[in-house]
Amino acid sequence: MNQQADDRAIRVSEIMSGQVHTIDGMATVAEAMATMRRLQISSLVVDRRHDDDELGLITVSDLAREVVAHDRAPARVNVYEVMSKPALTIRSSMLVRYAVRLLVQFGVSRALVVDDAGAPCGLVTLRDLVLGLTPD
């Protein structure tokens, strides 16, 4: 089997970060920033409010664009005001080459990874996906 065939068989589940850190949409941006700083991460999954709701995602880029650049007070802005919702999701079983295409197509750098039941199980970045295809 050649290297290209091996690359095509890699699944998102093999590359993703398995940690999912969540925050409530009613939390303040200041709380989200403190959590990101404490955990040394650049995004948080925003919890569903009810069964028919969708997951959201808040990133450092969202904070920079919607809060910092507009000189808004982080303690007075709620997460739900600046998050992306619904979050772009990728199944953990998806082949990496399709995940790369999806992120590039939508012009985003990260996606929430979900299992077959739609439950969040990780995050993956374009960097993770591309570098994950590179042999050691």
Side-chain angles (χ1 to χ4, degrees):
M1 188 183 303
N2 65 32
Q3 181 63 41
Q4 187 177 13
D6 288 343
D7 290 345
R8 293 173 187 253
I10 297 173
R11 306 279 174 179
V12 170
S13 60
E14 299 172 52
I15 294 177
M16 71 180 193
S17 164
Q19 293 186 327
V20 177
H21 299 283
T22 62
I23 193 164
D24 187 273
M26 293 301 292
T28 66
V29 165
E31 292 170 306
M33 292 168 78
T35 300
M36 289 178 181
R37 188 178 311 111
R38 180 175 44 83
L39 298 172
Q40 297 182 350
I41 57 175
S42 58
S43 61
L44 291 165
V45 175
V46 182
D47 291 324
R48 291 180 174 104
R49 291 177 30 204
H50 50 77
D51 289 343
D52 291 325
D53 199 11
E54 294 297 327
L55 294 165
L57 191 65
I58 186 164
T59 67
V60 168
S61 295
D62 296 328
L63 300 174
R65 184 181 57 254
E66 300 295 332
V67 180
V68 177
H70 294 288
D71 203 23
R72 297 170 73 185
R76 295 180 180 220
V77 179
N78 294 95
V79 167
Y80 75 84
E81 296 177 66
V82 297
M83 70 180 179
S84 298
K85 185 176 179 178
L88 179 63
T89 59
I90 294 178
R91 286 187 343 267
S92 61
S93 60
M94 182 181 283
L95 293 174
V96 166
R97 65 184 168 129
Y98 293 127
V100 169
R101 289 180 193 173
L102 188 64
L103 268 63
V104 169
Q105 180 179 9
F106 283 98
V108 297
S109 62
R110 74 187 65 240
L112 179 60
V113 181
V114 296
D115 61 20
D116 290 336
C121 60
L123 285 167
V124 71
T125 66
L126 194 54
R127 178 186 181 280
D128 296 335
L129 293 167
V130 171
L131 297 181
L133 290 175
T134 307
D136 292 334

